[in-house]
Amino acid sequence: RKRRNVQTWSARIQSVQSKWDAQLPSLIDSFLQYKRSGGRLEDDQASGTAETFTLLLFDVYGMCFVCIDFSESHLFLQLPGCMYPNTNLLLQGCLSSAPTRVSFVISLRTLELYRRLRVRQPRLSIQAWVRTLCDYHNITYHSKYWQYFSETFDVYLKILRGVDVRVHEALGRTSPHWRARHSCPCCQHKVPGETPLPVSLIGVLDGNQSLKRLNTDPRTFVSDYYIAEDTVNQFKYDVKPRPQKSKQGTDTETPSWSRDVEEATPADGDTDGTCTERWKAAQSDNLKRMWSIYRETGIFLSACRHGLIWWIVDMIESGELAKYPLATINQALDVFDDRLGIGYDIGCSFSATIAKSSIAQKARDKNLRLVVPAFHGYAHKRLCQLSFHPLYVTGFGIEDLETAERIFASFNGLANTTRHASRFHRLQAIDLYARQHDDDKYQELSTFLLGNYKQVNQLLEELPGVIAEFQSGKLPKDTDYHRHLETERQYLLSRRGESPDEEFACEYIQRLIMHQKAKEAHEDAVAYCTLNVPTQSVMHERAEILQQHAFENYQRIQDILHVFENTYSITKRWTPDMPEWQMASKYFATRDYQKALTRLEGLVVARLFELHKMGLSGTGYKLRMHINKSLKTRCKAIQRVLKKFNEAAATLGRPQLEWKNISTYDSLVEFELLRECREDIRCQPWADAANRQASVHNLKLERAKEEQSRLNVEVARLVDWMSHEEITLKNCIVRLQESHSLLTVEVEEMLARRLRQNVAHR
């Protein structure tokens, strides 16, 4: 009778894990010996004196069992000197899912083939892979095959990680954050005598919510890509949350993205927050729901501008809280050099959050510079663009800083296989894919540099002539574009909010209008009851109640008006024929115009983001169809709001808009000019359409020259790094050969891979 295992699932996992940990050094040695021998046993091991035994073998090139009865098995040798069954099996090119009692083994070539397929196509699950092999060899599939393969694959990856640790020790790459400091040679490998750059290192931050996860696992996974959860939680209460306001301006309890309502978002340091609200409003509603069934609700990622990843942070039962970017920025400031430039979707608001956090002084000392990515930046206010858009900030070249979106488009393929995975398997899958992703991005560095060189050369050839055409016949003051931008910035700063007089006038006029309407309603009720005396008692009672309600409402509003006038010491009540009333009424019309403009602008923002989403790689067919349907509905809504906007514009005598112009908008600069209608700015040089276009071309020319200088530095860094790394690997191989180390073959493979990649760079 089979003994029943009374251990819990968590206890069984930990027990098996401890056994594998004890065997790991021996397993690594056997694996390296197998690779050094090329899969061939040595003469003394293959001698006829060795004992033999049979096991069930799972192999991609042949299954050594038939159907479910396993009538055929594979013959193995019991090699001398092997402490554990799996050390014996590894020398013969196989591995088992059990650390002690072995009955089922999988060939290393099968495991390696799946690993390579998995990093190229993360949607390929273990179950699909095992089913494919069973179909190919005409074997009936059973669920235990999937379980065996999954457990064996975990052990195989554990061995590979142990080999990597030994290789890094042999190469002297054991210092803290070595991978992050040397992930991108173009960014971080400094060459003596190189030209200093105004922004020494350009990176990006962003969060993504596709890699959610449901289940739990007692095992832990250690990766140099991940920032520990405890490290992140140090910034949990670093910034106070900003009180949320309703549309009417009263405090309301808004839905929280976190179980802990006291945690702040990245934008809570900004008291304005208009850009952030505009950006959130353009997101899909599905991305705003944080269901309690998920523990990990996504990842927060940082990377350099070339796409090589710095660190990953798991977002735990929350949306994009402030602690995630704060922890990432803090680590970046500790690891990297000064003058770090970071692109973040809400970099404008997050800069204010950093200023109120515990790392504020460190950020100032390190000259941290935050900007918003190019595409996302056009959804921000014009004033924000002038300070945070990379086109208007010195040092960022022609970089669009949308790298994180491209990385997420690639990582989205992991969602299918990690959604229901354990925490351990999810982290393992992300780490495995991230390493292959970085290896691919290293191979594409020269392609990236060449593509940017082509863009820069095209801009340097075309823009001078275009700018000269715009400047033809202009006065010097009309071509001082930097002064135009500064004048525009100062003007927008002065118009950030209503003046106290305007706020007072608006509130007073509103109360006067409410008082006038209540008075007219009461007079109408009195007149109706006086002239039309109801004959029926029921109707007479209703008329009296109506008159009483109108009187009470009028008296209540009159009392409110009296309190307001006493508070502000108003001695003479405004009337429609007074200049104060007329000026306030005009400003009221202006506010209606701006409200209509805000609504129209919001719909266009949503349309721009949906058009961008339709073009993203990895966007599925159903989501594309959903977005397309949403676009059709939104276009109709834009036309309705456009009609209301034109009515408000006609009241003020402002320019009206046509649908054909709105439908072709690719940025929101036009809206910002329309919004500033308190005074006529159309005669200002910076408001002239031709001057603005020339200013943009001039800035693009300056950014192109910056990019050219950066590319020259990055090319020199890449060339020097290739030579330096090849020499380092060759010297290491010589040392390992002299000591007859088993690591020689691993370093030789690393060198061969680098030489293959460097050929493309050269």
Side-chain angles (χ1 to χ4, degrees):
R1 183 179 178 182
K2 187 176 180 181
R3 184 179 177 182
R4 183 172 178 268
N5 192 341
V6 297
Q7 285 183 314
T8 64
W9 174 80
S10 178
R12 290 197 301 270
I13 290 290
Q14 292 176 346
S15 176
V16 171
Q17 190 70 20
S18 62
K19 293 177 182 179
W20 281 120
D21 291 340
Q23 299 181 22
L24 187 60
S26 299
L27 296 177
I28 295 174
D29 291 338
S30 297
F31 177 77
L32 292 173
Q33 188 175 344
Y34 167 79
K35 292 195 68 175
R36 185 178 66 176
S37 64
R40 296 184 299 274
L41 296 176
E42 298 179 2
D43 295 337
D44 58 340
Q45 294 175 331
S47 63
T49 59
E51 297 180 2
T52 61
F53 60 94
T54 59
L55 288 173
L56 306 175
L57 174 65
F58 196 96
D59 185 62
V60 66
Y61 300 106
M63 305 289 223
C64 291
F65 52 84
V66 178
C67 296
I68 62 173
D69 58 354
F70 304 110
S71 58
E72 295 185 14
S73 299
H74 188 75
L75 186 66
F76 290 91
L77 297 175
Q78 181 60 53
L79 304 177
C82 295
M83 296 178 57
Y84 306 103
N86 281 286
T87 58
N88 183 26
L89 293 171
L90 280 170
L91 292 172
Q92 301 176 66
C94 297
L95 185 63
S96 172
S97 62
T100 52
R101 298 180 180 180
V102 177
S103 61
F104 186 96
V105 296
I106 302 174
S107 65
L108 294 181
R109 60 184 178 180
T110 302
L111 294 168
E112 178 61 17
L113 179 59
Y114 175 71
R115 185 188 72 83
R116 293 183 181 272
L117 289 172
R118 180 69 176 269
V119 297
R120 292 302 177 190
Q121 179 48 267
R123 291 182 175 88
L124 178 62
S125 65
I126 290 179
Q127 187 182 56
W129 169 243
V130 174
R131 282 182 177 274
T132 301
L133 293 180
C134 288
D135 292 342
Y136 183 74
H137 293 286
N138 195 28
I139 300 296
T140 303
Y141 170 80
H142 292 278
S143 59
K144 58 184 176 182
Y145 298 165
W146 164 84
Q147 183 179 359
Y148 289 153
F149 194 97
S150 176
E151 294 172 352
T152 308
F153 188 63
D154 289 345
V155 179
Y156 178 68
L157 293 180
K158 190 180 186 71
I159 294 172
L160 293 184
R161 291 193 295 272
V163 172
D164 288 341
V165 170
R166 293 190 181 185
V167 170
H168 290 325
E169 290 175 352
L171 292 171
R173 299 177 175 180
T174 57
S175 60
H177 307 296
W178 190 95
R179 182 199 58 80
R181 284 194 174 101
H182 301 83
S183 59
C184 180
C186 294
C187 290
Q188 293 143 335
H189 181 69
K190 302 298 176 64
V191 177
E194 67 181 19
T195 304
L197 299 172
V199 178
S200 63
L201 178 60
I202 298 177
V204 295
L205 303 176
D206 203 3
N208 179 267
Q209 292 148 346
S210 64
L211 297 181
K212 302 181 180 70
R213 187 190 66 84
L214 292 166
N215 298 324
T216 59
D217 193 320
R219 291 174 289 181
T220 59
F221 185 87
V222 179
S223 171
D224 55 3
Y225 278 98
Y226 266 84
I227 299 178
E229 188 175 330
D230 293 339
T231 303
V232 175
N233 285 333
Q234 293 176 8
F235 299 92
K236 189 173 183 179
Y237 303 111
D238 213 41
V239 179
K240 292 182 178 180
R242 183 180 63 201
Q244 300 294 325
K245 298 289 185 179
S246 68
K247 293 182 179 180
Q248 287 78 20
T250 58
D251 294 335
T252 57
E253 185 177 350
T254 57
S256 174
W257 283 21
S258 171
R259 287 190 174 183
D260 193 338
V261 297
E262 297 299 326
E263 295 189 58
T265 67
D268 280 353
D270 185 9
T271 56
D272 182 9
T274 306
C275 290
T276 308
E277 295 304 321
R278 179 182 294 176
W279 166 230
K280 287 181 180 178
Q283 295 181 7
S284 170
D285 290 338
N286 292 330
L287 296 181
K288 294 181 180 179
R289 288 193 201 100
M290 292 294 108
W291 300 327
S292 59
I293 59 174
Y294 295 114
R295 185 182 186 274
E296 288 87 8
T297 53
I299 60 174
F300 192 87
L301 179 142
S302 56
C304 75
R305 80 182 193 122
H306 304 95
L308 286 99
I309 299 171
W310 293 343
W311 299 286
I312 300 173
V313 178
D314 273 331
M315 296 192 292
I316 308 298
E317 296 180 340
S318 69
E320 202 166 308
L321 298 176
K323 62 183 180 181
Y324 305 125
L326 283 175
T328 304
I329 290 292
N330 180 63
Q331 187 141 306
L333 293 174
D334 290 338
V335 173
F336 301 135
D337 294 335
D338 297 352
R339 305 190 312 280
L340 179 63
I342 297 293
Y344 187 21
D345 294 346
I346 52 174
C348 51
S349 299
F350 185 59
S351 61
T353 302
I354 289 182
K356 297 179 180 179
S357 70
S358 60
I359 63 172
Q361 188 59 46
K362 183 190 297 185
R364 287 191 292 268
D365 295 341
K366 291 274 191 173
N367 294 317
L368 174 67
R369 186 67 172 94
L370 287 173
V371 295
V372 294
F375 175 78
H376 294 85
Y378 289 118
H380 288 243
K381 296 185 300 181
R382 177 61 178 171
L383 180 59
C384 173
Q385 293 181 31
L386 293 175
S387 301
F388 292 95
H389 195 283
L391 179 64
Y392 301 95
V393 180
T394 302
F396 285 86
I398 63 172
E399 178 59 39
D400 61 4
L401 300 170
E402 299 287 355
T403 309
E405 300 295 339
R406 303 183 186 101
I407 296 176
F408 289 141
S410 173
F411 270 66
N412 286 344
L414 285 168
N416 294 339
T417 53
T418 59
R419 181 63 50 82
H420 297 274
S422 66
R423 182 168 185 258
F424 173 85
H425 286 118
R426 175 180 174 274
L427 295 179
Q428 180 175 262
I430 293 175
D431 177 84
L432 184 66
Y433 189 77
R435 294 186 186 280
Q436 185 61 51
H437 171 273
D438 281 359
D439 193 60
D440 293 341
K441 289 303 176 183
Y442 175 86
Q443 187 171 340
E444 297 170 3
L445 282 176
S446 57
T447 304
F448 179 96
L449 299 176
L450 179 61
N452 279 26
Y453 263 123
K454 291 180 178 179
Q455 293 182 54
V456 167
N457 290 336
Q458 183 178 3
L459 292 173
L460 294 178
E461 290 177 2
E462 297 177 355
L463 290 182
V466 176
I467 295 173
E469 292 181 4
F470 278 108
Q471 293 179 344
S472 178
K474 296 282 187 178
L475 298 175
K477 67 175 184 178
D478 295 330
T479 58
D480 189 354
Y481 302 122
H482 287 283
R483 185 174 182 180
H484 291 176
L485 293 174
E486 182 59 29
T487 304
E488 181 182 3
R489 183 182 292 107
Q490 295 301 323
Y491 174 80
L492 294 177
L493 282 171
S494 67
R495 287 291 187 264
R496 293 189 70 173
E498 295 177 335
S499 66
D501 293 339
E502 290 171 337
E503 293 180 357
F504 161 76
C506 289
E507 188 174 358
Y508 189 35
I509 284 292
Q510 283 181 321
R511 297 185 185 281
L512 289 174
I513 293 176
M514 291 173 59
H515 177 264
Q516 183 64 28
K517 289 182 178 179
K519 181 180 179 181
E520 292 175 355
H522 176 248
E523 291 175 350
D524 292 342
V526 172
Y528 176 81
C529 293
T530 302
L531 299 177
N532 302 286
V533 179
T535 57
Q536 299 181 1
S537 60
V538 176
M539 297 300 297
H540 181 72
E541 291 176 357
R542 289 183 180 179
E544 289 183 346
I545 292 175
L546 176 64
Q547 181 178 348
Q548 182 179 355
H549 287 173
F551 174 73
E552 291 175 351
N553 183 55
Y554 169 63
Q555 194 170 23
R556 178 181 60 84
I557 294 177
Q558 189 174 31
D559 292 341
I560 295 175
L561 180 61
H562 289 164
V563 172
F564 183 87
E565 291 176 335
N566 292 332
T567 301
Y568 288 94
S569 302
I570 301 175
T571 57
K572 184 178 181 180
R573 181 171 296 176
W574 292 3
T575 57
D577 58 342
M578 295 177 64
E580 293 86 350
W581 180 292
Q582 295 173 359
M583 291 178 61
S585 299
K586 182 178 180 181
Y587 180 68
F588 238 59
T590 300
R591 289 183 69 185
D592 292 340
Y593 169 86
Q594 291 183 334
K595 287 180 181 180
L597 180 59
T598 299
R599 175 61 178 158
L600 180 62
E601 181 183 15
L603 292 173
V604 173
V605 170
R607 178 179 178 272
L608 290 174
F609 276 97
E610 286 167 343
L611 287 172
H612 175 66
K613 180 65 177 177
M614 287 190 69
L616 281 181
S617 173
T619 303
Y621 173 79
K622 290 185 178 179
L623 181 57
R624 290 178 186 271
M625 294 298 100
H626 174 74
I627 293 175
N628 185 48
K629 182 178 179 180
S630 177
L631 279 174
K632 292 179 180 178
T633 304
R634 200 174 300 282
C635 288
K636 295 178 181 178
I638 292 175
Q639 294 182 27
R640 290 194 298 268
V641 176
L642 179 62
K643 181 179 179 180
K644 295 181 180 179
F645 168 79
N646 286 333
E647 292 174 355
T651 304
L652 290 177
R654 301 291 298 177
Q656 299 185 23
L657 298 177
E658 296 183 6
W659 165 247
K660 63 179 181 181
N661 297 328
I662 292 293
S663 61
T664 59
Y665 273 7
D666 59 356
S667 70
L668 303 178
V669 176
E670 296 88 346
F671 283 114
E672 296 296 342
L673 286 180
L674 290 171
R675 187 178 304 285
E676 300 306 324
C677 54
R678 290 181 227 175
E679 62 184 77
D680 192 356
I681 59 173
R682 288 170 288 182
C683 60
Q684 298 292 332
W686 59 267
D688 181 74
N691 288 344
R692 296 180 68 83
Q693 190 66 30
S695 176
V696 170
H697 289 316
N698 185 68
L699 289 171
K700 288 183 178 180
L701 183 61
E702 292 179 0
R703 300 292 88 80
K705 293 177 180 178
E706 291 174 0
E707 182 71 19
Q708 187 178 49
S709 300
R710 180 175 291 275
L711 290 173
N712 293 337
V713 172
E714 290 182 348
V715 168
R717 289 176 176 178
L718 179 59
V719 172
D720 189 71
W721 169 261
M722 290 190 296
S723 176
H724 170 76
E725 187 180 30
E726 290 172 6
I727 293 173
T728 301
L729 294 175
K730 290 177 181 178
N731 292 338
C732 182
I733 291 173
V734 172
R735 293 196 308 270
L736 294 174
Q737 288 175 340
E738 292 175 352
S739 61
H740 304 286
S741 173
L742 295 174
L743 291 172
T744 304
V745 63
E746 287 294 326
V747 182
E748 287 176 345
E749 287 184 359
M750 182 183 294
L751 176 61
R753 184 171 63 253
R754 273 295 186 252
L755 290 174
R756 171 177 58 83
Q757 293 172 331
N758 292 343
V759 166
H761 296 328
R762 292 189 170 99

